[in-house]
Amino acid sequence: MAKITLNNVRKTYAGTVETIKGVSLDIADGELLVLVGPSGCGKSTLLRMIAGLESITSGEISIGDRVVNTLEPSERDIAMVFQNYALYPHMTVYQNLAYGLKNRNTPADVIEARIKKAATTLEIEQYLERKPRQLSGGQRQRVAMGRAIVREPSAFLFDEPLSNLDAKLRVQMRVEIKRLQRALATTSVYVTHDQMEAMTLADRLVVLNGGHIEQVGTPIELYEKPATTFVATFIGSPSMNLLDRARGGFDLSGVPEAATIGIRPEDLKVVSDGQVAGYALRADVTVGAVELVGAESYVYGKLSSGQDIAFRVSGRSQIETGAQMTVAAHSHDIHLFDAGGARLAGH
Ligand SMILES: Nc1ncnc2c1ncn2[C@@H]1O[C@H](COP(=O)(O)OP(=O)(O)O)[C@@H](O)[C@H]1O
Ligand SMILES: [Mg+2]
């Protein structure tokens, strides 16, 4: 068990611009921290620097009480789980699980006990004598996790471990990883570009954008109080509507000055003309497209000014393209941002 600390960590790959632009983070002992952000924002680079697979250009990384900047990966007492499982195809599951421990000269009885325990936890006892090719994707993923678990490291690092799995299995494994991490209470850093995976797994989330941290917080904090328009549109689906106040096409009452008005699609209510009293925002929408996703539908339309707006309605609503509707939002559901995209204080 260990906390992990990053202090103003920077990375510039040879011959390129700075990739990680000064990241500071305190990851608590036993915490599951998720690094989320779009492709290319530096998630893998940051994780690989913690693992020791990539050098640190400047700054300091500590695992437990040790500064690990110059330590080899094998000296850092961490285990990494990748998206390509990297199992040895010619070895059985048991041999795959034993391999790393044997290399570290772990006594045979300890190896056996740890594999037994991990196999039970992961429910792969009946596959120990199989080769990886005789396993399904989900089972292989479990073995890959088993290999990390048997080492009993002080931290787990995950780099998009589920992105090769189909949608259903991904949800199952995500629940599984959460359960395992809780049970083992091992400090974990989990990288994903998938905001849904991030929201459901994380104790805390770090939203990374272009090599810097946009915001750190619990999933609900980021959902309710996004610090920037980037976080506001990255977390939540469909994305938060960002309306340019200068372009207009909507009516406001009692809303402070702000360059950009944010409203989540789920916070917009369809109202009839007589019902608009008491709302802080009101807008007429021409419906462009309706997407039925089951229990609900997403409606995409335009304001009179041409600005895009999306909102959610019950899946049973019969809304046609071209329909004219009025939507409204309460003041407590309105997010305000300045021209630079920062959330306005006190709101
Ligand atoms: N070994 C490397 N050499 C040079 N540039 C790299 C190297 N690895 C990654 N990069 C660049 O660093 C940036 C961040 O990459 P990466 O950390 O893989 O992002 P992510 O995991 O968030 O998709 C990208 O622009 C990528 O092209
Ligand atoms: Mg990556």
Side-chain angles (χ1 to χ4, degrees), residues 10 107 111 147 185 220 228 233 236 265 273 306:
R10 292 174 185 273
I111 295 182
R147 240 181 3 186
I220 197 70
T228 62
T233 51
D273 270 351

Side-chain angles (χ1 to χ4, degrees), residues 6-27:
L6 278 64
N7 189 4
N8 198 17
V9 170
R10 292 174 185 273
K11 175 73 182 180
T12 306
Y13 287 107
T16 64
V17 294
E18 195 170 49
T19 295
I20 300 293
K21 297 166 183 161
V23 165
S24 297
L25 265 179
D26 281 309
I27 305 164

